Amino acid sequence: MLLPKQFHFLFFLFFFALCLCAQDKGKAVPIRKIILDIEQLHQVSFNYLEDDIAGLQLTPPKRSLSLNQKLQYLSNITDLSFENIDSKFINVYKKKDESRVLCGYLFSAADKKPIEGANIILNNKTQIRADSNGYFEFKKEGKSILLITHIGFASKRISAANQDAENCLQILLEPEVTELKEIKANAILASGISKNTDGAFEIKPKKFGILPGLIEPDALQAMQQIPGVNSIDESVSSINVRGGTHDQNLFLWNGIRMYQTGHFFGLISVFNPNLAHTISIYKNGSSAFFGESVSSVVDISSTPETTEKNSFSAGINMINADVYAKYNLSKKSFIEISARKSITDFVETPTYKEYFNKVFQNTTITDFSQNQDIDYKSDKKFGFYDATLKYAQKIGSKDQIILDLITIQDNLEVFQSATVYDIYKFENNTLRQQNYGGNLSWKRNWNSYNTTKINIYNSAYELFGNQKTSTENQIVVQKNSVNNNGFNLENQHRITSKFSLNNGYQFNEIGVTNLEQVTNPDFYRNVKEVLRTHALIVEGKYNDTITRLYVKAGARMNYIEKFKKYIVEPRIQFGYGINKNLNVELLGELKSQNSQQIIDLQKDYFGIEKRRWIISNNTTIPIQRSRQISLNLFYKKNDWLLDIENFYKKVHGITTSSQGFQNQLEFIRITGDYEVLGTEILIQKKMDHFLTWLSYTYNNNNYHFSDYEYSTFPNNFELTHTLSWAVMYEKNNFKIALGTKWSSGRPKTSPDISKIDLSDPVVVYNKPNDTNLHVFSQVNLSSTYKWETANGIQYKIGISILNILNRKNEISEYYRISSLTNSIEEVETFSLQRTPNLSFRISL
């Protein structure tokens, strides 16, 4: 448990230090500065003419006021009017006297329906919005030039100089194909993280603020702050979403499925945090265009939404160094590269040592050293790297081609030797994990209503292990490889300004090879399986911002060639705004998955990365199928946020070998399912420069194996209660975050001592997962500071401390027969001890 006095001391010290920061009061400043402060604090954008605000100075409104209260304050003491459009855009214009009226009606050219909420600007000065009938009116001036804009429609400029004031204009706007995402809430959990109308969490790394323990916007670390997302062993290679296993998640990088997600065997993400532009995370209700997963979807895109200038940055921390560069080859093309490499070839930092100790606990590598006590020597080499390349080219005004390449690799070499009773023993271990991928995409805007996307991709993964031992004069080689190819076609049709229809086709081929070769005695096995899947997709979306109704429904029909099997997967997203503050959301999905990771033996690949990919055979390894439904209430008002979600999830077709059992089920091969019922709650408050939140998750997660004597028992990945708290402070270029995470211990299986014969010990267990580990509790801190020189060079430094209180958290426990004492021993694995990290970055 946390030490109460230590925790309270840190808590109050943190708040005391932050309260020392004073605010400017009572001092008149230019209104432009007040507008910039409001834009930054409330994440809105002001539209105004420079002449209207020139030379205007006044006392700033109190920071504690809401956005509307600040606008009212400014309106009362100036001759300006402020129009708030959905708390996103603020139109500013001068108050004027009555004059002749210029009026008009706006209609969609597609369906002739009125367009509400369009912005109409008269003579580049006065701006208003059309009402629910598409109607607008101005106080007419001499010459009247109207500029009309609205999301989803092409902008239009018209002259109304000779218009009869008694007859209103009838104006048609052409629909325009856009891919803007509807945002439900900005700055959820941290700045740079938002929640969209479709239920997805979206992370913008370049706008990312700060989270406890993180000094870089690591996507897979950041997503573990989302309620319902955990890592049972602190690994980004073992992310559990609502009780599922890591392999049940779909990880996409620019359309490429990634089979390796962690460097350092899971302690940091393989995705360069300084590269990604948008990361979308779906816990439920994902689009029908996402297949091959029965749990969450993590979709990472490094394609910028808007044109960006040339840039370069380089950084280093206590684990790795990286560089990033983007160069515009022309107005229509650019190239973007990134590369990252571990610094362990040059120095072993305290962070590296903590990571190494965490990863290699209770593996065959540490077993060798523990079994020797005379003249033991060890030499190890470890390193990793990743690199990406993007080339984008626009062709004319309608076409764009993008090429994405990625390469990832981890290498470990360990040589160990010992002389025992004049006998020389050694082990030479090599472990390599790598993932290569490529994607070529083409996008064409046929017209304002129709768009086509086509992409072809490949992902190649390999896990290779080679172990040489002198004792048995034996060589053991293991290799697990995946080759995944695919073709995607997606057509987008905008029917009206509120309704769109998408359809498409996907082809996917996956081949998995598992090789095992042993000398003395000789053994060789090489098994390759291939599956080809075709999918037809249709999906419609209706979004009415006036009635606050959002519906997205679709279906995916898969056909698996080998099994001649059809699987239909419906998806639904339904959202309704009861009022402007309260929203209710219903999400549901049926999904399937043909590939999974299993563990044959716990000491495969030296017990480090022991999971291997396999594909379904539709019998002993079934196709996994899931169904999930969730109901969400979302409330936001006056910088308060409350998010409550209840869900039910069931996954059929799991195997015992995919669940990582280390008890009586370790060598039993049966199939079954798991069923989860849970609640996720997030409460958040924003106060000036502070953001604080508290989240709670409840999970009731049980296995069902009908062919086993104990048919129902708790899931290995069940964390019944999880509680997280964090507070963040951001002002100017300084950021600091403190947070803690507490969870009930994961299930474990205890031995039945009464049935064990100590003279010839064999582990006899009680009912699976009959008890739990001790609670997990950790306090983390992080801080960053950024500054810029006169010549535009930016510098950023950061510091983080994981597990400040150095608590010894147990994350797994099992039992085995000791080869030294021939007795039953308890084997425990622990989380990271206190782990510091420093970073430095320069950007041009």
Side-chain angles (χ1 to χ4, degrees):
M1 294 293 291
L2 283 172
L3 299 176
K5 292 182 179 179
Q6 289 175 290
F7 179 79
H8 291 160
F9 174 74
L10 284 170
F11 180 89
F12 288 115
L13 180 62
F14 183 81
F15 269 101
F16 177 74
L18 295 179
C19 288
L20 294 178
C21 297
Q23 300 184 38
D24 293 333
K25 295 181 180 180
K27 182 180 179 181
V29 298
I31 191 171
R32 183 182 288 102
K33 183 179 187 305
I34 296 174
I35 288 174
L36 291 174
D37 289 342
I38 294 176
E39 284 183 327
Q40 184 177 9
L41 187 61
H42 295 280
Q43 296 186 346
V44 296
S45 179
F46 280 77
N47 301 313
Y48 55 85
L49 297 175
E50 289 291 339
D51 291 343
D52 290 346
I53 68 169
L56 190 59
Q57 294 196 6
L58 57 149
T59 303
K62 294 181 180 179
R63 286 186 171 270
S64 59
L65 295 179
S66 67
L67 174 62
N68 287 330
Q69 288 172 329
K70 291 176 181 177
L71 298 180
Q72 185 62 48
Y73 168 82
L74 295 176
S75 179
N76 290 341
I77 63 174
T78 66
D79 62 345
L80 301 176
S81 294
F82 298 83
E83 183 183 15
N84 186 350
I85 303 174
D86 297 332
S87 294
K88 295 181 183 176
F89 304 100
I90 311 297
N91 296 326
V92 185
Y93 52 89
K94 283 199 170 185
K95 302 169 185 175
K96 293 186 180 291
D97 298 328
E98 291 290 330
S99 61
R100 291 182 302 160
V101 172
L102 170 65
C103 60
Y105 289 90
L106 302 179
F107 300 97
S108 169
D111 57 12
K112 304 302 186 291
K113 291 183 179 180
I115 299 173
E116 179 182 4
N119 292 322
I120 306 101
I121 302 175
L122 175 64
N123 296 333
N124 290 326
K125 294 188 294 183
T126 310
Q127 178 170 328
I128 61 172
R129 294 181 70 197
D131 65 13
S132 59
N133 297 315
Y135 177 77
F136 66 90
E137 67 177 30
F138 283 98
K139 299 159 189 176
K140 192 173 181 181
E141 301 177 3
K143 185 178 179 181
S144 300
I145 305 297
L146 299 178
L147 175 62
I148 306 165
T149 61
H150 190 277
I151 293 175
F153 292 88
S155 299
K156 192 167 189 176
R157 184 186 297 270
I158 63 172
S159 174
N162 300 319
Q163 180 65 29
D164 184 353
E166 296 181 359
N167 297 313
C168 294
L169 296 167
Q170 306 285 320
I171 303 171
L172 298 179
L173 297 185
E174 295 288 340
E176 183 178 54
V177 177
T178 60
E179 296 183 58
L180 296 176
K181 296 187 177 180
E182 300 82 5
I183 296 176
K184 185 190 297 183
N186 284 306
I188 183 167
L189 298 173
S191 55
I193 303 178
S194 60
K195 189 173 185 182
N196 294 335
T197 307
D198 61 3
F201 284 85
E202 187 173 275
I203 302 174
K204 300 277 192 181
K206 292 190 176 182
K207 298 180 180 179
F208 183 77
I210 195 168
L211 282 168
L214 292 183
I215 48 179
E216 295 179 321
D218 188 309
L220 304 189
Q221 294 284 3
M223 71 177 287
Q224 294 178 46
Q225 303 289 343
I226 298 173
V229 182
N230 291 290
S231 176
I232 209 79
D233 61 359
E234 289 190 314
S235 167
V236 296
S237 295
S238 183
I239 292 177
N240 318 114
V241 180
R242 291 179 172 173
T245 54
H246 183 78
D247 59 298
Q248 292 173 346
N249 303 313
L250 174 64
F251 295 93
L252 294 174
W253 184 84
N254 289 319
I256 306 164
R257 178 165 190 181
M258 303 304 297
Y259 293 88
Q260 178 184 349
T261 59
H263 280 314
F264 218 130
F265 305 105
L267 288 180
I268 62 174
S269 167
V270 297
F271 306 113
N272 191 326
N274 301 293
L275 175 68
H277 292 269
T278 305
I279 301 152
S280 300
I281 301 164
Y282 299 84
K283 293 188 289 183
N284 187 18
S286 57
S287 167
F289 284 88
F290 294 122
E292 191 58 24
S293 78
V294 291
S295 196
S296 74
V297 175
V298 180
D299 184 23
I300 302 174
S301 170
S302 65
T303 303
E305 296 176 348
T306 57
T307 303
E308 297 180 349
K309 63 181 182 179
N310 296 337
S311 60
F312 172 84
S313 67
I316 188 170
N317 58 38
M318 297 177 73
I319 293 294
N320 58 258
D322 77 280
V323 294
Y324 164 82
K326 177 182 178 294
Y327 180 71
N328 293 313
L329 301 172
S330 68
K331 291 183 178 180
K332 292 189 175 182
S333 64
F334 70 86
I335 187 170
E336 184 179 62
I337 60 172
S338 73
R340 181 170 54 158
K341 190 180 188 308
S342 59
I343 61 173
T344 52
D345 295 341
F346 312 102
V347 61
E348 291 189 2
T349 65
T351 309
Y352 167 78
K353 292 176 182 177
E354 289 295 340
Y355 279 18
F356 190 90
N357 293 336
K358 161 70 170 59
V359 168
F360 295 103
Q361 292 178 86
N362 305 318
T363 64
T364 59
I365 291 173
T366 51
D367 284 349
F368 183 94
S369 63
Q370 290 168 358
N371 291 340
Q372 320 300 327
D373 56 5
I374 301 176
D375 194 21
Y376 169 76
K377 296 179 180 179
S378 174
D379 180 31
K380 58 182 181 292
K381 293 181 181 179
F382 171 76
F384 65 81
Y385 69 84
D386 59 69
T388 66
L389 169 69
K390 176 186 290 289
Y391 172 73
Q393 173 72 58
K394 288 185 178 180
I395 304 173
S397 60
K398 294 187 176 182
D399 298 273
Q400 183 179 38
I401 294 175
I402 299 177
L403 173 66
D404 286 292
L405 301 173
I406 186 171
T407 178
I408 299 163
Q409 189 171 104
D410 285 59
N411 287 290
L412 171 69
E413 296 180 14
V414 180
F415 180 81
Q416 300 176 104
S417 64
T419 303
V420 183
Y421 302 117
D422 295 328
I423 299 176
Y424 179 71
K425 301 179 180 181
F426 74 85
E427 277 191 7
N428 192 6
N429 303 292
T430 301
L431 184 62
R432 182 178 67 248
Q433 188 179 25
Q434 59 190 21
N435 202 157
Y436 307 123
N439 181 62
L440 179 63
S441 65
W442 169 64
K443 177 182 177 182
R444 178 174 178 83
N445 294 323
W446 299 98
N447 50 45
S448 300
Y449 309 97
N450 301 285
T451 298
T452 295
K453 296 179 181 178
I454 295 176
N455 71 288
I456 56 175
Y457 63 89
N458 171 262
S459 182
Y461 167 83
E462 182 181 272
L463 177 64
F464 174 82
N466 188 329
Q467 183 179 42
K468 299 178 182 179
T469 60
S470 61
T471 307
E472 295 86 9
N473 191 25
Q474 187 180 69
I475 299 175
V476 178
V477 176
Q478 295 178 303
K479 186 170 76 170
N480 173 227
S481 60
V482 179
N483 192 31
N484 182 209
N485 306 293
F487 167 84
N488 296 334
L489 166 66
E490 179 180 355
N491 294 306
Q492 300 175 349
H493 312 283
R494 181 175 292 276
I495 310 302
T496 70
S497 61
K498 298 178 181 178
F499 179 70
S500 62
L501 181 68
N502 298 348
N503 57 66
Y505 164 79
Q506 294 179 355
F507 169 74
N508 181 71
E509 179 188 71
I510 180 171
V512 177
T513 302
N514 278 289
L515 179 146
E516 293 177 275
Q517 184 175 3
V518 182
T519 62
N520 194 27
D522 292 342
F523 173 81
Y524 180 84
R525 179 174 64 184
N526 188 17
V527 179
K528 182 176 182 179
E529 299 286 347
V530 178
L531 277 184
R532 298 181 181 90
T533 305
H534 305 265
L536 294 175
I537 302 112
V538 62
E539 188 170 72
K541 183 177 75 171
Y542 178 83
N543 184 24
D544 188 340
T545 57
I546 307 305
T547 61
R548 295 187 287 268
L549 177 64
Y550 178 90
V551 180
K552 187 175 182 180
R556 176 188 185 92
M557 185 174 71
N558 299 317
Y559 175 70
I560 307 172
E561 283 187 7
K562 188 174 184 179
F563 309 139
K564 298 181 179 179
K565 188 179 183 69
Y566 291 93
I567 299 176
V568 179
E569 303 176 5
R571 316 283 173 86
I572 181 71
Q573 303 167 4
F574 172 84
Y576 177 67
I578 298 173
N579 55 48
K580 65 179 181 180
N581 304 120
L582 181 63
N583 187 80
V584 63
E585 181 181 70
L586 178 69
L587 302 175
E589 61 183 21
L590 269 66
K591 299 204 292 187
S592 65
Q593 182 173 336
N594 298 314
S595 59
Q596 61 179 282
Q597 283 184 305
I598 66 167
I599 299 175
D600 276 345
L601 297 172
Q602 288 291 335
K603 293 195 175 183
D604 282 349
Y605 299 99
F606 322 132
I608 300 171
E609 179 50 86
K610 50 202 171 188
R611 298 167 298 176
R612 63 179 73 197
W613 286 96
I614 61 169
I615 55 178
S616 169
N617 59 19
N618 206 30
T619 54
T620 57
I621 307 171
I623 299 170
Q624 296 183 82
R625 302 183 68 174
S626 70
R627 60 176 184 262
Q628 184 177 184
I629 189 168
S630 60
L631 180 65
N632 172 260
L633 283 175
F634 190 92
Y635 178 80
K636 185 179 182 185
K637 186 176 182 181
N638 296 334
D639 294 324
W640 278 99
L641 184 150
L642 175 63
D643 191 357
I644 302 175
E645 188 161 7
N646 296 297
F647 70 91
Y648 170 81
K649 176 181 175 182
K650 189 167 186 177
V651 178
H652 297 272
I654 66 170
T655 62
T656 49
S657 56
S658 69
Q659 300 300 302
F661 285 106
Q662 289 183 282
N663 53 19
Q664 62 266 56
L665 287 164
E666 181 176 346
F667 303 106
I668 296 176
R669 300 293 182 257
I670 54 177
T671 63
D673 61 67
Y674 69 83
E675 190 174 31
V676 192
L677 190 66
T679 298
E680 298 159 358
I681 301 173
L682 173 66
I683 303 172
Q684 178 176 295
K685 173 63 175 174
K686 185 174 177 61
M687 302 168 290
D688 294 333
H689 301 290
F690 288 94
L691 178 69
T692 184
W693 51 260
L694 178 71
S695 71
Y696 168 75
T697 302
Y698 168 78
N699 272 356
N700 183 15
N701 189 353
N702 289 295
Y703 288 124
H704 301 286
F705 293 106
S706 57
D707 295 334
Y708 186 60
E709 59 176 320
Y710 302 109
S711 59
T712 302
F713 53 91
N715 192 304
N716 291 340
F717 303 98
E718 179 188 63
L719 295 177
T720 306
H721 305 284
T722 302
L723 189 68
S724 298
W725 166 83
V727 61
M728 286 141 283
Y729 177 81
E730 298 184 26
K731 185 173 183 181
N732 299 327
N733 294 320
F734 174 72
K735 302 174 184 178
I736 188 169
L738 175 70
T740 183
K741 190 167 189 176
W742 178 97
S743 65
S744 50
R746 65 181 295 190
K748 71 168 185 175
T749 306
S750 62
D752 188 346
I753 304 299
S754 63
K755 297 181 180 180
I756 296 177
D757 182 0
L758 297 179
S759 62
D760 186 19
V762 175
V763 182
V764 180
Y765 293 96
N766 287 306
K767 180 181 177 180
N769 293 341
D770 63 318
T771 186
N772 293 80
L773 300 178
H774 297 297
V775 299
F776 178 98
S777 182
Q778 191 176 84
V779 180
N780 303 317
L781 174 72
S782 57
S783 181
T784 63
Y785 180 71
K786 182 171 64 175
W787 71 97
E788 185 172 338
T789 61
N791 56 3
I793 301 176
Q794 287 187 350
Y795 299 91
K796 181 180 179 181
I797 58 172
I799 181 171
S800 69
I801 305 175
L802 295 173
N803 197 6
I804 296 173
L805 303 181
N806 206 28
R807 178 180 165 84
K808 196 173 185 180
N809 289 300
E810 186 182 8
I811 56 177
S812 75
E813 181 180 307
Y814 64 96
Y815 298 86
R816 66 183 180 187
I817 305 299
S818 171
S819 59
L820 294 177
T821 63
N822 194 35
S823 62
I824 296 175
E825 66 176 353
E826 182 181 68
V827 182
E828 299 171 308
T829 303
F830 296 94
S831 67
L832 283 168
Q833 298 295 292
R834 183 186 295 118
T835 305
N837 198 2
L838 295 171
S839 69
F840 175 75
R841 188 160 202 86
I842 180 172
S843 302
L844 305 179

